[in-house]
Amino acid sequence: MTSLPDPAGSGDAYLRAKEQAENFPVALRILPRRHRQHLLAVYDVARVVDDLGDQGHGDRRPALRAFDEDLDALFGGGTPRHPVLQRLRPTVQACGLDAQPFHDLVAANLQDQEKAAYGTFDDLVAYCRLSADPVGRIVLGVFGVSTPERLPLSDRICTALQIIEHCQDVAEDRRNGRIYLPLEDLDRFEVRPTDLDAPRASAAVRRLVAFEANRAGTLLDQGLPLLRMLRGWARLAVTGYVAGGRATLYALRRADWDVLSHTPRPSKRDVLAQAVAATLGSGVMSR
């Protein structure tokens, strides 16, 4: 069995710093302690999986497969070796979580080792089904509110949040040898991959980013009926995620879609404003 490496991502201080850097509140402080602990345990696993896929030298696939085997140990009733999976075990037991969404997150990172770009928007959405949608499904499971009619709405929200993040991180992804903007859209806006290496976004790159961000905004809006289906702490938590996505869209627009000179980040004030708007059922600043 392959040994499990310990990326920078298993230390608590590192994980909390990464949590604070997210666009959305991972676990609102107003939530009851039990929900916060469960959400943080889930976040830490997702973060470590991403780090296993993004950090380190050489072939990262053995480390990801070893983590996948460790997930089998956890969900098979055994004792996992990785610290974040040991911390996840009480959450799995208390919330009755399924293994498949966690395996999907590993599969997304394995796919990243093989595929550096996506030809069409549909291809990108298919990738998000592995890299993003499982997180929303896990969150619904944490709150015990997962139902067949809610899952597709959660998937739209999560896919939107992932694409919004891809729009933010064009420069970082390019430095890592990846392009998460559909290649057919690069052609449509007459953008070459090398244009993404520039210190500042050209007019064509800005139009491309705006186009993809608006697509994500449409998906986010399509998922909003989920909020009306939820009550209590579950609704509050999901509203926070939606608010983070909307506020990031606003930050991108405020930066005039220039994602190469810097990474546009939402302010806490804008996230709060968007949370209030989503709670009231209005759609300010989303697109």
Side-chain angles (χ1 to χ4, degrees):
M1 181 180 294
T2 303
S3 62
L4 282 169
D6 187 19
S10 58
D12 190 63
Y14 170 87
L15 290 167
R16 298 291 68 79
K18 296 297 288 187
E19 173 208 343
Q20 291 301 313
E22 296 289 348
N23 292 330
F24 50 82
V26 172
L28 288 165
R29 297 190 182 279
I30 196 174
L31 292 174
R33 187 166 181 263
R34 69 184 186 280
H35 291 319
R36 279 183 50 78
Q37 288 180 327
H38 292 328
L39 292 174
L40 290 174
V42 169
Y43 172 81
D44 290 352
V45 171
R47 179 74 264 162
V48 167
V49 171
D50 281 350
D51 284 350
L52 288 172
D54 291 339
Q55 296 179 3
H57 301 288
D59 190 353
R60 299 161 187 165
R61 290 172 296 182
L64 287 164
R65 290 175 181 139
F67 194 90
D68 213 34
E69 292 174 5
D70 216 22
L71 280 168
D72 286 334
L74 169 61
F75 285 94
T79 301
R81 293 175 294 154
H82 201 289
V84 295
L85 292 182
Q86 293 170 8
R87 296 197 294 268
L88 181 67
R89 181 162 53 180
T91 295
V92 169
Q93 294 172 342
C95 303
L97 299 182
D98 294 330
Q100 191 57 51
F102 293 96
H103 285 303
D104 287 344
L105 295 176
V106 177
N109 278 271
L110 284 168
Q111 186 168 310
D112 280 335
Q113 312 311 307
E114 308 285 348
K115 197 173 181 67
Y118 293 86
T120 69
F121 185 72
D122 286 344
D123 293 337
L124 182 61
V125 169
Y127 167 73
C128 292
R129 292 192 188 106
L130 295 175
S131 66
D133 298 359
V135 176
R137 292 176 173 236
I138 294 168
V139 168
L140 293 181
V142 163
F143 287 100
V145 295
S146 180
T147 64
E149 64 269 26
R150 291 170 180 166
L151 290 176
L153 297 171
S154 173
D155 290 347
R156 289 187 181 94
I157 290 172
C158 290
T159 291
L161 294 178
Q162 180 76 84
I163 294 173
I164 291 167
E165 185 174 327
H166 288 329
C167 290
Q168 268 184 298
D169 294 340
V170 170
E172 178 184 348
D173 292 335
R174 177 64 176 167
R175 287 193 296 270
N176 290 331
R178 297 170 186 159
I179 298 175
Y180 289 110
L181 304 177
L183 297 180
E184 67 176 4
D185 294 335
L186 267 71
D187 290 341
R188 178 184 305 184
F189 289 94
E190 299 182 345
V191 172
R192 298 167 299 178
T194 52
D195 293 338
L196 305 180
D197 300 324
R200 183 174 297 276
S202 66
V205 169
R206 292 175 197 234
R207 288 193 294 270
L208 169 63
V209 172
F211 178 75
E212 303 303 344
N214 283 327
R215 273 179 156 179
T218 297
L219 278 173
L220 194 60
D221 288 347
Q222 289 173 353
L224 290 182
L226 176 64
L227 299 183
R228 295 193 292 272
M229 296 180 179
L230 301 177
R231 297 290 183 272
W233 299 119
R235 178 168 180 168
L236 182 64
V238 176
T239 297
Y241 305 147
V242 170
R246 285 178 156 187
T248 305
L249 287 173
Y250 180 57
L252 287 163
R253 179 178 290 278
R254 188 172 54 201
D256 195 23
W257 313 110
D258 181 6
V259 294
L260 300 185
S261 63
H262 69 290
T263 301
R265 299 288 183 192
S267 69
K268 290 184 179 180
R269 179 178 180 178
D270 288 338
V271 174
L272 178 59
Q274 293 288 355
V276 172
T279 300
L280 296 176
S282 57
V284 300
M285 297 189 290
S286 62
R287 281 179 289 148

